[in-house]
């Protein structure tokens, strides 16, 4: 290679790095605007939102710090539907999109799309700001209506890329429709303005970047960056063994549903020579009269989440790396492409999590050192939607609280991320501050703690369960809506790892007595009553007796596990000082494989 050619390649690499940082910086500016100006706690505390940039050809370019379930697929589909419904885009336009039948994840994820139009009227990019709404107009005060028979019973307003701004001015007719349907209209309108502000920040920054560097240079960068990302994906796939595996993850039955539940299967085929990974989700049940059906965006994304969880984490997640994925879906399938009027109310979580878990479990079956155990299921009461009337202000309130959701899975080379939340958000959401939740709505949190001996045991352990106990503060009651998977079918381990703890929900009466609550409920809590929520743990990776004895001893010392569990499950004997006893540990581990390993 000549010095000139080497120099040219180096300059190209520098240009890619600099422009990648510029585009990611724009996405982060959008996200910062949204987080700091939104009104809903689920947005400005829990950070349940995403901001991204797609190309004029509707390809995901960057989605820095976004929730994977929001952005891996969906922004591309939504931007395409915007262009389909509005072929004559103009500067100053903005569109509200939440239709799961036209590319959005689920109706609660309100999305603002703004086409970036240059001075000559040419469409250059599209920016998106998506934020999960505490209330999207459902017939019940919750954004996850898993028991809804169809979109009509669900009740949310559906906006398939509806224009909400023209020439930078609001179209008030649409805003009035939302305000009449939302239980706390001022809160929704504040979130709407925050999303709009974030999208306009992105538009402004991209127009400035285009003026600075020229549009041709930016579009050339797109091609180069996608090609680079594809090359990184090729290298990552070629680094893992060829193989095919089919893995299933079972969602609990909903109330009134017989049998073990909803079995979600994923067939994964790794083809290193072709540098392709195929995921086939077609062999799954048809759409059901429930709110768990997946939108196309969530079905594609959930499969991608399982794949990317199993590969080199540094591979860019954009349209370039996506070229090496083949996701097979079918229409009318619960884990495929739902069509109107099937309800997709909870499409981002329950079945989507089972898809991602099945995919990463299949990857783990193909070879040791890749894949992931199952992450814990959602949504316990500790992640539910609270609502009612504040006795101090006399005003209605509604908000999703993220008080107690853990669920991370054991990995080939690391223990679980304790507060991942669920597999689809990859830890990008934050757990709520107890004090701020108590300030924002009339609730009192009596307890929040990790529970010992609930982790999925393994060479690398899954997350421990979190128990939360909370109820109304003051003289008025509250409602708590939740839909909890993982009560019957806990998160499974892989490659010899054990399952994490199952979830449970209970009601503590004012007299202190405890009674079980159903897995799916809208619970009315009177003053003095509390809900006791236990979330799932996470599955373990690898045999528990392969775990380093020092790590087991540390877990006992810090209270994650008991000394009895250390002995019975991990087969580690501790001395009087809590340190591993090498001789006794060797004797325990010399027993027949699997001795004492009966689960959590």
């Amino acid at each position: 290679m000549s010095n000139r050619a080497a120099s040219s390649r180096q300059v190209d690499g520098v240009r890619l790095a600099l422009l990648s940082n510029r585009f990611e910086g724009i996405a982060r500016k959008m996200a910062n605007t949204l987080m700091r100006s939104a009104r809903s706690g689920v947005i400005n505390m829990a950070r349940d939102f995403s901001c991204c940039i797609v190309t004029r050809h509707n390809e995901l370019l960057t989605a820095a710090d976004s929730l994977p379930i929001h952005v891996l697929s969906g922004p591309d589909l939504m931007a395409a539907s915007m262009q389909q419904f509005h072929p004559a885009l103009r500067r100053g336009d903005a569109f509200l999109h939440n239709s799961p039948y036209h590319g959005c994840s689920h109706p609660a994820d309100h999305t603002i799309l703004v086409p970036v139009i240059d001075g000559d009227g040419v469409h250059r990019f599209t920016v998106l700001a998506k934020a999960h709404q505490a209330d999207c107009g459902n017939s019940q005060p919750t954004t996850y209506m898993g028991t809804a028979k169809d979109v009509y019973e669900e009740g949310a307003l559906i906006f398939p890329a509806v224009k909400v701004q023209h020439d930078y001015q609001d179209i008030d007719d649409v805003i009035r429709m939302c305000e009449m349907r939302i239980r706390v209209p001022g809160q929704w309108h504040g979130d709407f303005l925050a999303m709009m502000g974030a999208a306009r920040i992105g538009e402004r920054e991209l127009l400035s970047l285009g003026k600075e560097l020229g549009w041709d240079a930016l579009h050339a960068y797109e091609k180069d960056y996608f090609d680079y990302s594809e090359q990184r994906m090729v290298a990552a796939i070629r680094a893992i063994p060829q193989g095919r595996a089919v893995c299933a993850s079972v969602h609990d039955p909903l109330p009134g549903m017989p049998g073990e539940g909803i079995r979600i299967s994923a067939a994964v085929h790794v083809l290193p020579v072709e540098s392709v990974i195929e995921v086939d989700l077609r062999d799954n049940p048809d759409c059901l009269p429930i709110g768990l059906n997946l939108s196309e965006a969530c079905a594609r994304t959930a499969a991608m989440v399982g794949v990317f969880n199993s590969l080199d984490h540094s591979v860019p997640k954009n349209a370039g790396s996506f070229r090496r994925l083949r996701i097979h879906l079918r229409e009318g399938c619960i884990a495929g492409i739902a069509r109107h009027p099937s309800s997709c109310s909870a499409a981002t979580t329950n079945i989507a999590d089972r898809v991602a878990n099945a995919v990463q479990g299949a990857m783990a079956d193909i070879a040791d050192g890749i894949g992931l155990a199952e992450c814990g299921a959602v949504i316990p009461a500790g992640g539910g939607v609270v609502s009612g009337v504040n006795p101090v202000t006399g005003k209605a309130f509604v908000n999703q609280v993220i008080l107690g959701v853990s669920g991370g899975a054991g990995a080939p080379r690391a223990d679980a991320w304790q507060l991942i939340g669920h597999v689809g958000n990859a830890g990008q959401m934050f757990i709520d501050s107890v004090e701020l939740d108590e300030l924002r709505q009339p609730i009192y949190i009596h307890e929040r703690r990790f529970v010992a001996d609930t982790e999925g045991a393994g060479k690398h352990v899954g997350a421990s369960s979190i128990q939360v106990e909370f109820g109304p503060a003051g003289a008025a009651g509250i409602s708590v809506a939740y839909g909890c998977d993982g009560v019957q079918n806990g998160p499974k381990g892989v490659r010899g790892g054990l399952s994490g703890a199952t979830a449970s929900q209970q009601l503590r009466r004012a007299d202190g007595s405890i009674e079980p609550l159903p897995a799916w409920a809208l619970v009315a809590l009177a003053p003095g009553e509390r809900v006791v929520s236990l979330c799932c743990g996470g599955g373990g990776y690898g045999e528990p007796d392969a775990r380093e004895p020092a790590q087991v001893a540390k877990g006992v010392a810090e209270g994650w596990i008991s000394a009895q569990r250390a002995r019975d499950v991990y087969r580690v004997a501790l001395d009087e000082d809590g340190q591993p006893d090498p001789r006794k540990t060797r004797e325990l581990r010399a027993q027949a494989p699997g001795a004492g390993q009966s689960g959590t």
Side-chain angles (χ1 to χ4, degrees):
M1 179 181 296
S2 69
N3 290 337
R4 183 174 181 179
S7 175
S8 175
R9 177 163 296 184
Q10 183 180 8
V11 169
D12 287 344
V14 170
R15 179 175 64 90
L16 280 179
L18 291 174
L19 282 175
S20 295
N21 284 330
R22 292 289 293 272
F23 277 99
E24 289 181 4
I26 292 171
R28 289 191 173 99
K29 280 187 178 181
M30 294 170 64
N32 188 56
T33 300
L34 182 47
M35 184 172 70
R36 292 182 179 276
S37 56
R39 293 187 184 177
S40 296
V42 71
I43 302 174
N44 62 28
M45 279 203 309
R47 208 184 180 282
D48 194 348
F49 67 84
S50 299
C51 296
C52 63
I53 302 169
V54 300
T55 70
R56 55 187 171 167
H57 302 304
N58 309 318
E59 298 173 301
L60 179 66
L61 182 61
T62 185
D65 297 337
S66 294
L67 280 62
I69 195 65
H70 278 173
V71 294
L72 294 185
S73 182
D76 52 344
L77 303 175
M78 287 190 286
S81 65
M82 176 191 73
Q83 293 197 49
Q84 176 188 352
F85 299 146
H86 307 277
L89 298 170
R90 294 178 174 83
R91 185 182 290 192
D93 288 347
F95 303 90
L96 174 60
H97 199 322
N98 75 329
S99 172
Y101 317 109
H102 301 91
C104 194
S105 40
H106 72 146
D109 284 338
H110 282 198
T111 306
I112 296 295
L113 296 93
V114 167
V116 179
I117 310 294
D118 71 11
D120 297 322
V122 178
H123 178 207
R124 298 296 184 175
F125 295 95
T126 299
V127 292
L128 295 90
K130 173 186 283 193
H132 179 91
Q133 302 299 304
D135 180 11
C136 61
N138 281 345
S139 59
Q140 295 178 5
T142 178
T143 57
Y144 298 104
M145 278 194 66
T147 57
K149 293 182 175 61
D150 53 33
V151 70
Y152 306 115
E153 182 175 358
E154 182 184 333
L157 284 168
I158 303 295
F159 297 96
V162 172
K163 185 182 283 190
V164 288
Q165 278 194 351
H166 176 77
D167 196 22
Y168 296 101
Q169 300 300 311
D170 288 347
I171 298 174
D172 292 332
D173 290 344
V174 177
I175 294 172
R176 282 195 296 271
M177 287 175 61
C178 290
E179 290 178 328
M180 288 297 293
R181 183 66 182 173
I182 303 297
R183 291 169 176 83
V184 186
Q187 177 175 282
W188 171 84
H189 192 226
D191 293 341
F192 170 83
L193 293 175
M195 287 187 290
M196 187 65 72
R200 291 302 183 192
I201 287 287
E203 176 195 33
R204 183 189 71 187
E205 293 295 315
L206 284 171
L207 287 171
S208 176
L209 189 61
K211 184 177 180 180
E212 176 187 345
L213 299 179
W215 296 110
D216 289 344
L218 296 186
H219 295 320
Y221 156 77
E222 295 168 16
K223 179 184 181 304
D224 290 345
Y225 192 49
F226 287 154
D227 289 346
Y228 164 78
S229 301
E230 183 179 16
Q231 292 167 12
R232 292 291 312 281
M233 188 66 163
V234 166
I237 295 172
R238 289 180 176 174
I240 60 178
Q242 179 170 328
R244 187 180 189 278
V246 178
C247 185
S249 185
V250 182
H251 190 286
D252 289 353
L254 268 65
M257 182 182 292
E260 66 171 351
I262 306 168
R263 182 180 177 85
I264 300 299
S265 176
V268 178
H269 198 182
V270 178
L271 300 162
V273 175
E274 294 89 340
S275 305
V276 165
I277 295 179
E278 288 191 289
V279 178
D280 194 338
L281 299 177
R282 291 174 291 190
D283 188 19
N284 280 303
D286 292 341
C287 286
L288 295 173
I290 55 178
L292 305 186
N293 302 293
L294 295 193
S295 60
E296 180 178 0
C298 284
R300 292 192 184 282
T301 295
M304 290 180 181
V305 167
V307 170
F308 281 111
N309 279 351
S310 307
L311 299 177
D312 178 355
H313 71 277
S314 66
V315 174
K317 283 75 174 174
N318 60 37
S321 56
F322 299 166
R323 295 170 184 168
R324 292 292 162 172
L325 298 178
R326 297 174 188 165
I327 313 296
H328 301 291
L329 308 175
R330 67 177 177 89
E331 290 194 14
C333 174
I334 192 171
I337 305 172
R339 294 303 187 199
H340 188 278
S342 294
S343 175
C344 302
S345 181
T348 55
T349 51
N350 297 60
I351 297 297
D353 285 4
R354 295 297 181 174
V355 167
N357 281 332
V359 171
Q360 62 201 34
M363 295 289 285
D365 286 344
I366 289 172
D368 193 8
I370 62 173
L372 207 66
E374 285 196 345
C375 292
V378 291
I379 299 167
V385 177
V386 298
S387 62
V389 175
N390 192 317
V392 176
T393 64
K395 295 181 178 180
F397 69 92
V398 58
N399 183 43
Q400 184 180 8
V401 293
I402 310 296
L403 282 167
V405 187
S406 59
R413 286 168 289 277
D415 291 342
W417 189 340
Q418 287 288 346
L419 298 179
I420 196 171
H422 73 108
V423 66
N425 74 40
Q428 290 291 332
M429 286 178 62
F430 299 155
I431 195 166
D432 286 2
S433 158
V434 166
E435 292 78 8
L436 290 179
D437 267 344
E438 291 175 341
L439 286 172
R440 286 170 176 265
Q441 48 259 321
I443 64 174
Y444 186 81
I445 294 95
H446 298 263
E447 177 186 54
R448 177 165 69 182
R449 63 182 175 89
F450 284 107
V451 180
D453 294 348
T454 54
E455 87 296 350
K459 179 179 180 180
H460 297 293
V461 300
S464 298
S465 298
I466 296 177
Q467 181 165 302
V468 179
E469 186 169 344
F470 69 97
I478 62 171
S479 292
V480 183
Y482 62 90
C484 188
D485 185 21
V487 173
Q488 292 182 213
N489 298 289
K492 294 183 297 185
V494 295
R495 306 202 71 83
L498 304 188
S499 297
T502 55
S504 67
Q505 317 302 314
Q506 297 176 307
L507 174 65
R508 187 186 300 277
R509 295 290 187 188
D511 63 6
S513 61
I514 290 281
E515 61 185 67
L517 286 172
W520 293 73
L522 174 61
V523 178
L525 297 178
E529 294 183 331
R530 312 172 189 175
V531 65
V532 182
S533 172
L534 181 73
C535 73
C536 285
Y541 193 107
E543 297 284 351
D545 59 8
R547 187 164 177 79
E548 288 291 336
Q551 289 295 318
V552 177
K554 182 180 179 182
V556 173
E558 294 181 349
W560 296 100
I561 60 173
S562 63
Q564 186 68 40
R565 184 169 176 82
R567 182 181 182 87
D568 293 346
V569 176
Y570 296 94
R571 292 191 239 169
V572 172
L574 303 178
D575 61 23
E576 294 180 354
D577 297 324
Q579 298 302 309
D581 184 312
R583 182 182 62 80
K584 292 182 179 179
T585 296
R586 282 195 301 271
E587 291 174 355
L588 285 172
R589 290 187 167 184
Q591 296 176 12
Q597 297 183 26
S598 58
T600 59

